[in-house]
Structures are given as structure tokens and as C-alpha cells.
């Protein structure tokens, strides 16, 4: 089945005000840069964004915060973004902070038809407030519910016309689970190849989870914390 | 008294052969520089890598290859990459033997607070809640007091918790403390630090044995 769309504009047709979007990536690593830029251009508002982080002030989801297009963020860590902190502390932005492993599993569960699961993470903390607690193996666990989204927007290294995806290094992160949990999943890739070019043994995300795929026009791939060592 | 490097060196002495280890941001990251000779461990970073190596040489940074602190890294031979759900399966499933992380406060029953100061700072818990809820072996690397000189080694945490009853050991610039039976136990003191100083800077209940050895670094 051919999943290829012409460009980012076509990939994001149907993204409307008030929708819930999952956006792949960890920090600025493995984020769908082209789609985020297109969302800024489209000016879609009142978005709920499920993403591990919120970018930095002038890149990643930070761009959508600058333009106040995001109503609510569901994330695990947002510490690198001053505008985010300002909007959150002033109450302009609704924020749901959840443990990173629970966020990953909630996305996976959403895509896998598991409505909820018990995890030990967050027991005894603010995160557990209002959640059912059960003891398993002598240890308290809290009930966490699955997450899904109107659109999941992910970024892969290589993809084929069938929507099969291969990720590179730690740019994989949340992308595979989010791809599973979107009603419509959009994949932007660095390299788009004809079906048959990717080894089926090496596919990370099977094309069944992807509805639209396109080759991103340009990837800046900004590095957040450039850390090096000296040559001795 | 130890500096950050000293704290990292002392924690590195806890590493055991064959362990998979998750190091948090800050002082814990430095532990990787002081693996004792003859000990083989592998470092896991929760953003999806096992077998982390040293930072890259200048000019060899790869935007697609970072640790959970978003720093550019390299990998060793035999490394692997995986998604975030698999990464936390390793953590929650207790396949990772040791977690080292920082803290703002620790209490004598092993509670830890390290993600939020109400009204002031909200960065989020990241993977810390999953890590502390699951790991059998958690070592906290922290300073004994805050900038105002108030103890962070407490009877009860005052900040929002990250996890309850999970911390087993704390290494500070002054001492190594073990947490058991609802109390801190003084195990070692840092070079040049007296037992009196440690006692005066510890707000929580502290059990002090007759002889407290000095750390060997």
C-alpha cells in the first residue's frame, strides 16, 4: 500500500484546532522538524501536545509555544524552555507532567489496545493522586491509562513507500510507540526509498502503523548539549 | 571534604562486575570516569541506549546520538539502541542493577525529592520516578546542605516526592550514609571531615558507630 504524500502540507491535511497531537523525539533528537515548522505556518490553535519534552525557546515544540498554539502539554521533562516555564507558572499553559516510563508505556498501550496498566512509578507522589492503587508482589502500583492522539507525528531516518520505518541511534526514542498510537500517523523521513529497498529484518516500525510518509525537505538536527572530550 | 569528582569516585567504588547501570544527570554522570580496574559495567541511558562510551572528540558529535541529559555521546562495541518503552522495561523490569541519581532532599525512610519546587521551579520528573520506583539498588549523589546551609538529609522531605522508601545509600561531600530501619547510618566520613560536623549537618536521625572509617579514594 502506498503511503507516500507529496509534501509536508499534504501530510498535515486534517490537523485542526483543538486536536491532540503526539510529537516524537527526546529533547531535540529525533523530532519531526518539518512538520513542526508546517504547524507554525498553518497556525493551528488550542493543540494538546503529547511529547516527552517541549523543545527549547527557538526550536522544536518551543516554536509552537512562542506562537501560543499549544493549550496543553503532556510531557515528562520541560526544563530547557524558559517560555514554557513562564506560560506554565502564569497559568496560560495547562501542563500534565508524567513519569517518562509511564508516558512511553501509555503511548504503547494506546497503540496496542491495552486501555490501562499498573506501574510502580509515581506511587506515593503527586502523580498518584486520584489513581487506583493495587498491591502486586507486595509492592504498591498505580493505574495509568493509555494515550492516543488524533495525529501522531514522528521522525525516522529511513522509510519506504509502504510506510516501514527505520530509526537511527537514539533518535528512535518515543517515535515507535507514538507511531502506534495515532489515529493518523505521519512520518517524516530523511531518506524515502521504494518498497523492497529496506531489509524486512531491520524494520523498527512496520508500515501498518503509518498512514502518511514524506521526505523532509531539510533537517537542521540542532544539538542541545554539545559535549566533547579533548584528544590526548 | 569531597568535591563533585570525589563524590563520583566514591560511588564508582560501589560498581560490581557485570552490572548494568543508569547514571543520572550531573555528578552521577561523572561516575563513568572512575570505573575501578578489573570491573566491567555497561551504562544505560533511558532515552534508548545501552553501552554508552565517552563523549565524542570535537567535530565527531552526532545529533542523533545523545544521552538522557541531551549531551552528545559515543557508544562502545556491543552497544544497542531501543525505543523508550523498551528502555523503561529494562528499568521497571529490574534488568538494570544500579541507579545513581541526584536529589534535592532525602529522608531517613528512603524518600527522595528531586523534581519540583512549588511555585519556583518545575522541570518535570523525567525518568526519575520510574527509576526510583523500580531499582533495587539506588545511590543518591548530593550535597549535604543547600546554599543556605540547611541540611538536605532530613527526617521527612519537605518538597514534592519523587519516590517513597527507595533510597538505600547516600554519598555527599561529607559522608557515606546508609538508610535502613528508618534511620541514616554513618558508614564513612570524607577525608578531613569530623563525625561532629556530619552530625551537625544532618537533620534526620543518624546512627553513629563507635568507629567511623575515612573514605579510601
Amino acid at each position: 500500500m502506498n503511503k507516500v504524500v507529496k509534501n509536508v502540507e499534504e501530510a498535515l491535511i486534517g490537523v485542526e484546532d483543538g486536536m491532540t497531537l503526539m510529537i516524537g523525539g527526546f529533547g531535540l533528537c529525533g523530532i519531526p522538524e518539518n512538520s513542526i515548522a508546517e504547524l507554525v505556518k498553518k497556525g493551528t490553535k488550542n493543540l494538546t501536545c503529547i511529547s516527552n519534552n517541549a523543545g527549547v525557546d527557538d526550536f522544536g515544540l518551543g516554536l509552537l509555544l512562542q506562537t501560543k498554539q499549544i493549550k496543553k502539554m503532556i510531557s515528562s521533562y520541560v526544563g530547557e524552555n524558559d517560555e514554557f516555564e513562564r506560560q506554565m507558572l502564569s497559568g496560560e499553559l495547562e501542563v500534565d507532567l508524567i513519569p517518562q516510563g509511564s508516558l512511553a508505556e501509555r503511548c504503547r498501550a494506546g497503540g496496542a489496545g491495552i486501555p490501562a496498566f499498573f506501574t510502580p512509578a509515581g506511587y506515593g507522589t503527586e502523580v498518584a493522586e486520584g489513581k487506583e492503587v493495587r498491591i502486586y508482589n507486595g509492592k504498591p502500583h498505580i493505574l495509568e491509562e493509555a494515550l492516543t492522539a488524533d495525529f501522531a507525528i514522528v521522525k525516522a531516518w529511513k522509510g519506504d513507500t509502504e510506510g516501514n520505518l527505520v530509526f537511527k541511534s537514539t533518535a528512535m526514542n518515543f517515535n515507535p510507540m507514538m507511531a502506534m498510537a495515532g489515529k493518523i500517523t505521519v512520518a517524516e523521513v530523511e531518506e524515502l526509498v521504494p518498497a523492497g529497498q529496506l531489509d524486512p529484518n531491520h524494520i523498527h516500525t512496520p508500515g501498518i502503523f503509518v498512514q502518511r510518509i514524506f521526505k523532509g525537505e531539510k533537517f537542521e538536527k540542532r544539538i542541545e548539549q554539545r559535549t566533547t572530550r579533548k584528544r590526548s | 571534604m569531597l568535591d563533585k569528582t570525589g563524590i563520583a569516585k566514591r560511588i564508582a567504588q560501589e560498581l560490581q562486575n557485570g552490572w548494568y547501570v543508569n547514571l543520572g544527570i550531573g555528578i552521577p554522570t561523572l561516575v563513568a570516569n572512575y570505573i575501578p580496574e578489573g570491573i566491567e559495567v555497561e551504562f544505560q541511558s533511558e532515552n534508548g541506549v545501552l553501552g554508552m562510551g565517552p563523549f565524542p572528540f570535537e567535530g565527531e558529535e552526532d545529533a542523533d546520538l545523545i544521552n538522557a541529559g541531551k549531551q552528545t555521546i559515543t557508544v562502545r562495541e556491543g552497544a544497542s539502541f531501543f525505543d523508550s518503552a523498551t528502555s523503561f522495561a529494562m528499568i521497571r523490569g529490574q534488568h538494570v542493577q544500579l541507579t545513581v541519581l541526584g536529589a534535592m532532599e532525602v529522608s531517613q525512610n528512603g524518600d527522595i525529592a528531586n523534581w519540583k519546587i512549588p511555585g519556583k521551579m518545575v522541570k518535570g520528573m523525567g525518568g526519575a520516578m520510574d527509576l526510583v520506583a523500580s531499582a533495587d539498588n539506588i545511590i543518591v549523589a548530593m550535597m549535604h546542605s543547600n546554599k543556605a546551609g540547611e541540611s538536605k538529609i532530613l527526617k521527612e522531605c519537605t518538597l514534592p516526592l519523587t519516590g517513597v522508601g527507595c533510597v538505600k545509600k547516600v554519598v555527599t561531600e561529607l559522608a557515606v550514609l546508609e538508610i535502613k530501619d528508618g534511620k541514616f547510618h554513618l558508614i564513612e566520613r570524607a577525608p578531613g571531615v569530623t563525625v561532629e560536623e556530619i552530625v551537625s549537618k544532618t537533620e534526620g536521625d543518624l546512627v553513629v558507630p563507635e568507629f567511623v572509617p575515612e573514605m579510601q579514594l
Side-chain angles (χ1 to χ4, degrees), chain A residues 23-51:
Chain A
I23 312 276
F26 187 103
L28 302 178
C29 182
I31 58 171
E33 302 179 20
N34 293 276
S35 300
I36 291 169
E38 175 61 16
L39 287 170
V40 173
K41 218 167 96 191
K42 270 169 86 89
T44 321
K45 285 187 205 57
N46 289 323
L47 295 169
T48 295
C49 287
I50 303 170
S51 186

PDB file of all heavy atoms in Angstrom, chain A residues 23-51:
ATOM      1  N   ILE A  23       3.948  14.076  19.370  1.00  0.00           N
ATOM      2  CA  ILE A  23       5.110  14.523  18.610  1.00  0.00           C
ATOM      3  C   ILE A  23       6.325  13.748  19.114  1.00  0.00           C
ATOM      4  O   ILE A  23       6.699  13.861  20.285  1.00  0.00           O
ATOM      5  CB  ILE A  23       5.363  16.044  18.812  1.00  0.00           C
ATOM      6  CG1 ILE A  23       4.072  16.852  18.636  1.00  0.00           C
ATOM      7  CG2 ILE A  23       6.501  16.525  17.922  1.00  0.00           C
ATOM      8  CD1 ILE A  23       3.699  17.208  17.231  1.00  0.00           C
ATOM      9  N   GLY A  24       6.945  12.960  18.250  1.00  0.00           N
ATOM     10  CA  GLY A  24       8.093  12.138  18.637  1.00  0.00           C
ATOM     11  C   GLY A  24       9.314  12.974  18.957  1.00  0.00           C
ATOM     12  O   GLY A  24       9.391  14.163  18.655  1.00  0.00           O
ATOM     13  N   GLY A  25      10.296  12.305  19.584  1.00  0.00           N
ATOM     14  CA  GLY A  25      11.561  12.966  19.895  1.00  0.00           C
ATOM     15  C   GLY A  25      11.884  12.951  21.373  1.00  0.00           C
ATOM     16  O   GLY A  25      11.009  12.768  22.205  1.00  0.00           O
ATOM     17  N   PHE A  26      13.171  13.129  21.655  1.00  0.00           N
ATOM     18  CA  PHE A  26      13.672  13.258  23.029  1.00  0.00           C
ATOM     19  C   PHE A  26      14.584  14.472  23.023  1.00  0.00           C
ATOM     20  O   PHE A  26      15.621  14.467  22.359  1.00  0.00           O
ATOM     21  CB  PHE A  26      14.451  12.002  23.428  1.00  0.00           C
ATOM     22  CG  PHE A  26      14.871  11.974  24.868  1.00  0.00           C
ATOM     23  CD1 PHE A  26      14.177  11.192  25.786  1.00  0.00           C
ATOM     24  CD2 PHE A  26      15.944  12.725  25.311  1.00  0.00           C
ATOM     25  CE1 PHE A  26      14.570  11.166  27.117  1.00  0.00           C
ATOM     26  CE2 PHE A  26      16.329  12.703  26.641  1.00  0.00           C
ATOM     27  CZ  PHE A  26      15.646  11.915  27.540  1.00  0.00           C
ATOM     28  N   GLY A  27      14.199  15.523  23.748  1.00  0.00           N
ATOM     29  CA  GLY A  27      14.918  16.783  23.578  1.00  0.00           C
ATOM     30  C   GLY A  27      14.726  17.226  22.145  1.00  0.00           C
ATOM     31  O   GLY A  27      13.609  17.209  21.623  1.00  0.00           O
ATOM     32  N   LEU A  28      15.816  17.565  21.469  1.00  0.00           N
ATOM     33  CA  LEU A  28      15.712  17.961  20.057  1.00  0.00           C
ATOM     34  C   LEU A  28      16.110  16.812  19.135  1.00  0.00           C
ATOM     35  O   LEU A  28      16.251  16.984  17.931  1.00  0.00           O
ATOM     36  CB  LEU A  28      16.598  19.183  19.793  1.00  0.00           C
ATOM     37  CG  LEU A  28      16.284  20.430  20.639  1.00  0.00           C
ATOM     38  CD1 LEU A  28      17.255  21.551  20.305  1.00  0.00           C
ATOM     39  CD2 LEU A  28      14.840  20.874  20.426  1.00  0.00           C
ATOM     40  N   CYS A  29      16.287  15.631  19.730  1.00  0.00           N
ATOM     41  CA  CYS A  29      16.799  14.475  18.999  1.00  0.00           C
ATOM     42  C   CYS A  29      15.636  13.650  18.452  1.00  0.00           C
ATOM     43  O   CYS A  29      14.791  13.172  19.198  1.00  0.00           O
ATOM     44  CB  CYS A  29      17.646  13.637  19.951  1.00  0.00           C
ATOM     45  SG  CYS A  29      18.416  12.202  19.216  1.00  0.00           S
ATOM     46  N   GLY A  30      15.586  13.520  17.136  1.00  0.00           N
ATOM     47  CA  GLY A  30      14.530  12.706  16.530  1.00  0.00           C
ATOM     48  C   GLY A  30      13.171  13.383  16.505  1.00  0.00           C
ATOM     49  O   GLY A  30      12.144  12.716  16.572  1.00  0.00           O
ATOM     50  N   ILE A  31      13.155  14.709  16.417  1.00  0.00           N
ATOM     51  CA  ILE A  31      11.861  15.418  16.335  1.00  0.00           C
ATOM     52  C   ILE A  31      11.490  15.664  14.866  1.00  0.00           C
ATOM     53  O   ILE A  31      12.360  15.836  14.017  1.00  0.00           O
ATOM     54  CB  ILE A  31      11.889  16.775  17.096  1.00  0.00           C
ATOM     55  CG1 ILE A  31      12.985  17.711  16.559  1.00  0.00           C
ATOM     56  CG2 ILE A  31      12.061  16.552  18.594  1.00  0.00           C
ATOM     57  CD1 ILE A  31      12.932  19.118  17.118  1.00  0.00           C
ATOM     58  N   PRO A  32      10.186  15.701  14.568  1.00  0.00           N
ATOM     59  CA  PRO A  32       9.753  15.959  13.191  1.00  0.00           C
ATOM     60  C   PRO A  32       9.805  17.456  12.875  1.00  0.00           C
ATOM     61  O   PRO A  32       8.792  18.151  12.932  1.00  0.00           O
ATOM     62  CB  PRO A  32       8.309  15.438  13.190  1.00  0.00           C
ATOM     63  CG  PRO A  32       7.849  15.570  14.603  1.00  0.00           C
ATOM     64  CD  PRO A  32       9.052  15.423  15.476  1.00  0.00           C
ATOM     65  N   GLU A  33      10.994  17.934  12.548  1.00  0.00           N
ATOM     66  CA  GLU A  33      11.236  19.373  12.366  1.00  0.00           C
ATOM     67  C   GLU A  33      10.357  19.992  11.293  1.00  0.00           C
ATOM     68  O   GLU A  33       9.844  21.099  11.450  1.00  0.00           O
ATOM     69  CB  GLU A  33      12.686  19.633  11.930  1.00  0.00           C
ATOM     70  CG  GLU A  33      13.730  19.135  12.850  1.00  0.00           C
ATOM     71  CD  GLU A  33      15.127  19.434  12.294  1.00  0.00           C
ATOM     72  OE1 GLU A  33      15.258  20.321  11.429  1.00  0.00           O
ATOM     73  OE2 GLU A  33      16.077  18.764  12.731  1.00  0.00           O
ATOM     74  N   ASN A  34      10.227  19.266  10.183  1.00  0.00           N
ATOM     75  CA  ASN A  34       9.492  19.832   9.049  1.00  0.00           C
ATOM     76  C   ASN A  34       8.012  19.993   9.380  1.00  0.00           C
ATOM     77  O   ASN A  34       7.387  20.980   9.009  1.00  0.00           O
ATOM     78  CB  ASN A  34       9.665  18.956   7.807  1.00  0.00           C
ATOM     79  CG  ASN A  34      11.096  18.982   7.310  1.00  0.00           C
ATOM     80  OD1 ASN A  34      11.492  19.875   6.580  1.00  0.00           O
ATOM     81  ND2 ASN A  34      11.903  18.020   7.743  1.00  0.00           N
ATOM     82  N   SER A  35       7.468  19.027  10.097  1.00  0.00           N
ATOM     83  CA  SER A  35       6.051  19.082  10.457  1.00  0.00           C
ATOM     84  C   SER A  35       5.793  20.183  11.479  1.00  0.00           C
ATOM     85  O   SER A  35       4.763  20.862  11.427  1.00  0.00           O
ATOM     86  CB  SER A  35       5.590  17.732  11.011  1.00  0.00           C
ATOM     87  OG  SER A  35       5.766  16.721  10.039  1.00  0.00           O
ATOM     88  N   ILE A  36       6.727  20.351  12.423  1.00  0.00           N
ATOM     89  CA  ILE A  36       6.549  21.412  13.421  1.00  0.00           C
ATOM     90  C   ILE A  36       6.544  22.774  12.709  1.00  0.00           C
ATOM     91  O   ILE A  36       5.693  23.636  12.981  1.00  0.00           O
ATOM     92  CB  ILE A  36       7.654  21.336  14.507  1.00  0.00           C
ATOM     93  CG1 ILE A  36       7.454  20.072  15.370  1.00  0.00           C
ATOM     94  CG2 ILE A  36       7.629  22.583  15.398  1.00  0.00           C
ATOM     95  CD1 ILE A  36       8.605  19.745  16.301  1.00  0.00           C
ATOM     96  N   ALA A  37       7.470  22.951  11.782  1.00  0.00           N
ATOM     97  CA  ALA A  37       7.519  24.214  11.025  1.00  0.00           C
ATOM     98  C   ALA A  37       6.207  24.443  10.263  1.00  0.00           C
ATOM     99  O   ALA A  37       5.689  25.567  10.199  1.00  0.00           O
ATOM    100  CB  ALA A  37       8.701  24.199  10.048  1.00  0.00           C
ATOM    101  N   GLU A  38       5.650  23.377   9.717  1.00  0.00           N
ATOM    102  CA  GLU A  38       4.397  23.484   8.976  1.00  0.00           C
ATOM    103  C   GLU A  38       3.223  23.824   9.908  1.00  0.00           C
ATOM    104  O   GLU A  38       2.337  24.598   9.538  1.00  0.00           O
ATOM    105  CB  GLU A  38       4.133  22.173   8.215  1.00  0.00           C
ATOM    106  CG  GLU A  38       2.798  22.088   7.487  1.00  0.00           C
ATOM    107  CD  GLU A  38       2.614  23.151   6.393  1.00  0.00           C
ATOM    108  OE1 GLU A  38       3.613  23.762   5.972  1.00  0.00           O
ATOM    109  OE2 GLU A  38       1.441  23.362   5.984  1.00  0.00           O
ATOM    110  N   LEU A  39       3.231  23.263  11.123  1.00  0.00           N
ATOM    111  CA  LEU A  39       2.175  23.588  12.096  1.00  0.00           C
ATOM    112  C   LEU A  39       2.217  25.074  12.449  1.00  0.00           C
ATOM    113  O   LEU A  39       1.172  25.715  12.603  1.00  0.00           O
ATOM    114  CB  LEU A  39       2.322  22.738  13.364  1.00  0.00           C
ATOM    115  CG  LEU A  39       1.926  21.257  13.239  1.00  0.00           C
ATOM    116  CD1 LEU A  39       2.350  20.482  14.477  1.00  0.00           C
ATOM    117  CD2 LEU A  39       0.421  21.108  13.008  1.00  0.00           C
ATOM    118  N   VAL A  40       3.429  25.618  12.581  1.00  0.00           N
ATOM    119  CA  VAL A  40       3.570  27.059  12.845  1.00  0.00           C
ATOM    120  C   VAL A  40       2.951  27.835  11.678  1.00  0.00           C
ATOM    121  O   VAL A  40       2.175  28.775  11.873  1.00  0.00           O
ATOM    122  CB  VAL A  40       5.053  27.452  13.031  1.00  0.00           C
ATOM    123  CG1 VAL A  40       5.209  28.965  13.123  1.00  0.00           C
ATOM    124  CG2 VAL A  40       5.631  26.783  14.284  1.00  0.00           C
ATOM    125  N   LYS A  41       3.268  27.410  10.461  1.00  0.00           N
ATOM    126  CA  LYS A  41       2.755  28.089   9.262  1.00  0.00           C
ATOM    127  C   LYS A  41       1.231  27.994   9.165  1.00  0.00           C
ATOM    128  O   LYS A  41       0.555  28.973   8.831  1.00  0.00           O
ATOM    129  CB  LYS A  41       3.398  27.440   8.015  1.00  0.00           C
ATOM    130  CG  LYS A  41       3.747  28.427   6.918  1.00  0.00           C
ATOM    131  CD  LYS A  41       4.650  27.796   5.875  1.00  0.00           C
ATOM    132  CE  LYS A  41       3.842  27.280   4.695  1.00  0.00           C
ATOM    133  NZ  LYS A  41       4.641  26.440   3.783  1.00  0.00           N
ATOM    134  N   LYS A  42       0.709  26.820   9.467  1.00  0.00           N
ATOM    135  CA  LYS A  42      -0.746  26.612   9.419  1.00  0.00           C
ATOM    136  C   LYS A  42      -1.476  27.435  10.477  1.00  0.00           C
ATOM    137  O   LYS A  42      -2.639  27.797  10.307  1.00  0.00           O
ATOM    138  CB  LYS A  42      -1.081  25.131   9.711  1.00  0.00           C
ATOM    139  CG  LYS A  42      -1.137  24.220   8.510  1.00  0.00           C
ATOM    140  CD  LYS A  42      -1.216  22.748   8.963  1.00  0.00           C
ATOM    141  CE  LYS A  42      -2.630  22.269   9.234  1.00  0.00           C
ATOM    142  NZ  LYS A  42      -3.303  21.719   8.045  1.00  0.00           N
ATOM    143  N   GLY A  43      -0.799  27.657  11.613  1.00  0.00           N
ATOM    144  CA  GLY A  43      -1.398  28.439  12.690  1.00  0.00           C
ATOM    145  C   GLY A  43      -2.484  27.703  13.462  1.00  0.00           C
ATOM    146  O   GLY A  43      -3.307  28.329  14.144  1.00  0.00           O
ATOM    147  N   THR A  44      -2.494  26.373  13.396  1.00  0.00           N
ATOM    148  CA  THR A  44      -3.483  25.567  14.127  1.00  0.00           C
ATOM    149  C   THR A  44      -3.385  25.862  15.626  1.00  0.00           C
ATOM    150  O   THR A  44      -2.293  25.885  16.177  1.00  0.00           O
ATOM    151  CB  THR A  44      -3.216  24.068  13.899  1.00  0.00           C
ATOM    152  OG1 THR A  44      -2.820  23.886  12.539  1.00  0.00           O
ATOM    153  CG2 THR A  44      -4.444  23.248  14.185  1.00  0.00           C
ATOM    154  N   LYS A  45      -4.551  26.073  16.263  1.00  0.00           N
ATOM    155  CA  LYS A  45      -4.533  26.526  17.665  1.00  0.00           C
ATOM    156  C   LYS A  45      -5.132  25.521  18.638  1.00  0.00           C
ATOM    157  O   LYS A  45      -5.723  24.532  18.244  1.00  0.00           O
ATOM    158  CB  LYS A  45      -5.304  27.833  17.787  1.00  0.00           C
ATOM    159  CG  LYS A  45      -4.555  29.020  17.242  1.00  0.00           C
ATOM    160  CD  LYS A  45      -5.319  30.300  17.564  1.00  0.00           C
ATOM    161  CE  LYS A  45      -4.995  31.407  16.597  1.00  0.00           C
ATOM    162  NZ  LYS A  45      -5.240  31.070  15.188  1.00  0.00           N
ATOM    163  N   ASN A  46      -4.995  25.865  19.938  1.00  0.00           N
ATOM    164  CA  ASN A  46      -5.590  25.067  21.035  1.00  0.00           C
ATOM    165  C   ASN A  46      -5.187  23.604  20.972  1.00  0.00           C
ATOM    166  O   ASN A  46      -5.998  22.716  21.234  1.00  0.00           O
ATOM    167  CB  ASN A  46      -7.124  25.172  21.004  1.00  0.00           C
ATOM    168  CG  ASN A  46      -7.581  26.542  21.434  1.00  0.00           C
ATOM    169  OD1 ASN A  46      -6.988  27.138  22.330  1.00  0.00           O
ATOM    170  ND2 ASN A  46      -8.601  27.055  20.770  1.00  0.00           N
ATOM    171  N   LEU A  47      -3.943  23.367  20.641  1.00  0.00           N
ATOM    172  CA  LEU A  47      -3.479  21.992  20.497  1.00  0.00           C
ATOM    173  C   LEU A  47      -3.129  21.396  21.852  1.00  0.00           C
ATOM    174  O   LEU A  47      -2.632  22.091  22.738  1.00  0.00           O
ATOM    175  CB  LEU A  47      -2.240  21.943  19.597  1.00  0.00           C
ATOM    176  CG  LEU A  47      -2.460  22.363  18.145  1.00  0.00           C
ATOM    177  CD1 LEU A  47      -1.114  22.527  17.438  1.00  0.00           C
ATOM    178  CD2 LEU A  47      -3.323  21.331  17.418  1.00  0.00           C
ATOM    179  N   THR A  48      -3.408  20.111  22.007  1.00  0.00           N
ATOM    180  CA  THR A  48      -2.846  19.352  23.121  1.00  0.00           C
ATOM    181  C   THR A  48      -1.695  18.553  22.539  1.00  0.00           C
ATOM    182  O   THR A  48      -1.901  17.777  21.592  1.00  0.00           O
ATOM    183  CB  THR A  48      -3.890  18.402  23.736  1.00  0.00           C
ATOM    184  OG1 THR A  48      -4.929  19.202  24.319  1.00  0.00           O
ATOM    185  CG2 THR A  48      -3.284  17.512  24.807  1.00  0.00           C
ATOM    186  N   CYS A  49      -0.495  18.773  23.065  1.00  0.00           N
ATOM    187  CA  CYS A  49       0.673  18.077  22.528  1.00  0.00           C
ATOM    188  C   CYS A  49       1.216  17.087  23.539  1.00  0.00           C
ATOM    189  O   CYS A  49       1.532  17.442  24.673  1.00  0.00           O
ATOM    190  CB  CYS A  49       1.768  19.067  22.143  1.00  0.00           C
ATOM    191  SG  CYS A  49       1.368  19.988  20.668  1.00  0.00           S
ATOM    192  N   ILE A  50       1.322  15.837  23.116  1.00  0.00           N
ATOM    193  CA  ILE A  50       1.941  14.796  23.925  1.00  0.00           C
ATOM    194  C   ILE A  50       3.343  14.602  23.377  1.00  0.00           C
ATOM    195  O   ILE A  50       3.521  14.170  22.236  1.00  0.00           O
ATOM    196  CB  ILE A  50       1.148  13.478  23.830  1.00  0.00           C
ATOM    197  CG1 ILE A  50      -0.314  13.707  24.265  1.00  0.00           C
ATOM    198  CG2 ILE A  50       1.815  12.390  24.669  1.00  0.00           C
ATOM    199  CD1 ILE A  50      -1.238  12.524  23.980  1.00  0.00           C
ATOM    200  N   SER A  51       4.325  15.000  24.166  1.00  0.00           N
ATOM    201  CA  SER A  51       5.703  14.908  23.715  1.00  0.00           C
ATOM    202  C   SER A  51       6.589  14.878  24.951  1.00  0.00           C
ATOM    203  O   SER A  51       6.310  15.583  25.918  1.00  0.00           O
ATOM    204  CB  SER A  51       6.058  16.116  22.843  1.00  0.00           C
ATOM    205  OG  SER A  51       7.334  15.949  22.294  1.00  0.00           O
TER     206      SER A  51
END
